């Protein structure tokens, strides 16, 4: 009796998780006078900013930071910069890596932690600066990897044994 009930609950939970592909994960932001949406992504190590969003801006700083997508491909980085923006009338800064290889700004775990963001997945809301903002849904595009992992060079001194879990 318990096994049958457990299997039904597991099937229902699995069906629910795969059927809901329109989760509210986008934050409505205004950069200058231009509204846009930014993907909140706690699985992304770093915030990524599309080059198109900052084209013509001379404040892009050079960086040696490397970035790899979840599928293992290298994401070329143009540089790093800070953008001033607003959520509602609340001012924010978006510090991130600039790349030609994303079409939507991805606010990674670095931005979420730096801004002490509380994300309520059940209500589809986020708290930022003591204010609550409703998140938006957007249709998921198939075959797109939106998870990135940062990498960096490691210098191992001579005569040291090093182990890599890669």
């Amino acid at each position: 009796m318990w096994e049958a009930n457990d299997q039904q609950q597991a099937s229902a939970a699995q069906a629910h998780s795969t059927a809901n592909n329109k989760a509210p994960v986008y934050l409505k932001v205004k950069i200058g006078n231009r509204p846009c949406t930014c993907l909140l992504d706690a699985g992304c190590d770093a915030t990524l900013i599309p080059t198109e969003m900052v084209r013509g801006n001379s404040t892009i700083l050079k960086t040696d930071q490397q970035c790899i997508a979840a599928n293992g491909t290298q994401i070329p980085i143009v540089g790093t910069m800070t953008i001033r923006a607003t959520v509602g009338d609340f001012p924010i800064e978006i510090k991130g890596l600039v790349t030609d290889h994303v079409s939507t700004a991805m606010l990674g775990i670095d931005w979420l932690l730096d801004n002490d963001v509380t994300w309520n997945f059940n209500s589809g809301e986020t708290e930022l600066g003591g204010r609550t903002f409703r998140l938006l849904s957007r249709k998921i595009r198939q075959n797109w990897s939106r998870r990135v992992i940062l990498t960096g060079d490691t210098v191992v001194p001579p005569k040291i044994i090093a182990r890599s879990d890669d």
Side-chain angles (χ1 to χ4, degrees), residues 18-30:
T18 57
N20 185 9
N21 62 359
K22 292 186 178 182
V25 294
Y26 290 88
L27 184 63
K28 189 175 179 181
V29 172
K30 192 178 252 187

Side-chain angles (χ1 to χ4, degrees), residues 27-150:
L27 184 63
K28 189 175 179 181
V29 172
K30 192 178 252 187
I31 300 170
N33 291 325
R34 193 175 67 208
C36 63
T37 55
C38 296
L39 174 68
L40 297 184
D41 190 347
C44 184
D45 288 350
T47 294
L48 297 179
I49 301 169
T51 304
E52 189 61 37
M53 185 178 278
V54 295
R55 192 166 304 285
N57 192 323
S58 61
T59 59
I60 299 175
L61 304 173
K62 295 291 181 196
T63 182
D64 293 329
Q65 185 70 60
Q66 295 181 0
C67 193
I68 298 175
N71 65 4
T73 59
Q74 182 93 15
I75 299 174
I77 301 299
V78 174
T80 184
M81 75 171 307
T82 300
I83 300 172
R84 294 179 193 268
T86 56
V87 179
D89 62 353
F90 184 73
I92 62 168
E93 285 189 345
I94 302 171
K95 297 175 187 175
L97 301 172
V98 180
T99 179
D100 294 327
H101 293 264
V102 296
S103 60
T104 301
M106 297 170 59
L107 305 179
I109 192 67
D110 59 336
W111 187 87
L112 295 167
L113 291 173
D114 288 347
N115 289 280
D116 196 26
V117 173
T118 302
W119 188 348
N120 186 327
F121 294 97
N122 288 327
S123 68
E125 296 174 332
T126 189
E127 187 177 309
L128 176 63
R131 300 178 186 188
T132 301
F133 299 97
R134 178 159 291 291
L135 298 175
L136 306 173
S137 298
R138 202 158 111 181
K139 198 175 198 178
I140 294 175
R141 295 178 181 168
Q142 297 301 318
N143 300 324
W144 278 42
S145 175
R146 287 205 165 118
R147 184 166 190 267
V148 297
I149 301 164
L150 288 179

